[in-house]
Amino acid sequence: QPLFNVLNGGKHARHGIDVQECMLAPISFTTIKERVDAASSCVSILKEMLVSNHLSVDIGDEGGFAPALTSNDAALDLLVEAIVKAGFEGRIKIALDVAASSFYTGGKYTLKAGGEQIVSSNEMLAWYESVVQKYPIISIEDGYAEDDVDGFAHMTAALGKRICVVGDDLTVTNTK
């Protein structure tokens, strides 16, 4: 299953959202060509939407657009709108690489999009539960810092039957 990184934030962009990568996941297609074509169509529409809303189409470090958005949810709203406008509602889902280690200090998460707020692991889980309920999200990678093992455990218990919970930083950097 290919994922297409289309919106960047966090350390991969100078400004904007906290989430490092928002990706398109074309799930209901037979061939790789169909998946690439569908994702490409969404990217073209997303770019048009950004331009028409006077948002930057600068590219982040990982190759996605890096506009200055007002919130993390605003990025998800844009992706859903692009998917719908492209005619792929239900056929293209969303995957996130949050890279939460990049904004984790002293047992708390500092979110800057939409005004700085410092939140706990439980508050992060509440946000994940709300976005999984509201948006067609199928995967969240690095939703917690690599040292927040309890956060990953709670997320897996709460959402692991509905989405893929990926602990990349957790398993790559933590030898335990």
Side-chain angles (χ1 to χ4, degrees):
Q1 171 65 51
L3 300 175
F4 298 86
N5 179 8
V6 295
L7 285 175
N8 287 168
K11 289 191 174 186
H12 289 299
R14 289 186 303 270
H15 46 68
I17 60 175
D18 300 298
V19 175
Q20 179 176 281
E21 297 173 359
C22 297
M23 298 169 276
L24 298 174
I27 60 165
S28 296
F29 299 87
T30 307
T31 68
I32 189 69
K33 182 184 183 327
E34 289 173 334
R35 291 169 196 242
V36 170
D37 288 348
S40 178
S41 178
C42 287
V43 170
S44 294
I45 289 169
L46 178 61
K47 184 176 183 180
E48 290 172 9
M49 291 168 47
L50 292 171
V51 169
S52 70
N53 286 303
H54 308 289
L55 293 167
S56 172
V57 290
D58 288 348
I59 302 297
D61 292 346
E62 295 289 315
F65 298 118
L69 299 172
T70 57
S71 70
N72 295 302
D73 283 26
L76 299 171
D77 289 335
L78 280 171
L79 288 184
V80 168
E81 186 177 346
I83 291 167
V84 169
K85 283 183 174 183
F88 296 119
E89 186 173 12
R91 300 184 71 200
I92 295 180
K93 304 290 185 178
I94 297 171
L96 305 176
D97 181 350
V98 179
S101 290
S102 66
F103 52 85
Y104 181 74
T105 308
K108 298 285 185 180
Y109 297 89
T110 302
L111 302 172
K112 294 186 178 174
E116 186 170 313
Q117 56 181 324
I118 299 172
V119 301
S120 68
S121 287
N122 288 340
E123 290 168 313
M124 287 295 291
L125 180 58
W127 181 68
Y128 293 137
E129 289 175 321
S130 73
V131 296
V132 166
Q133 178 76 27
K134 184 176 178 181
Y135 301 101
I137 294 173
I138 62 166
S139 176
I140 298 177
E141 178 179 341
D142 294 332
Y144 289 92
E146 59 197 45
D147 297 330
D148 192 353
V149 176
D150 290 339
F152 273 103
H154 292 130
M155 182 182 199
T156 302
L159 295 172
K161 290 187 174 152
R162 295 186 358 203
I163 67 166
C164 180
V165 176
V166 180
D168 175 36
D169 291 344
L170 172 74
T171 57
V172 171
T173 60
N174 185 342
T175 58
K176 296 177 197 167

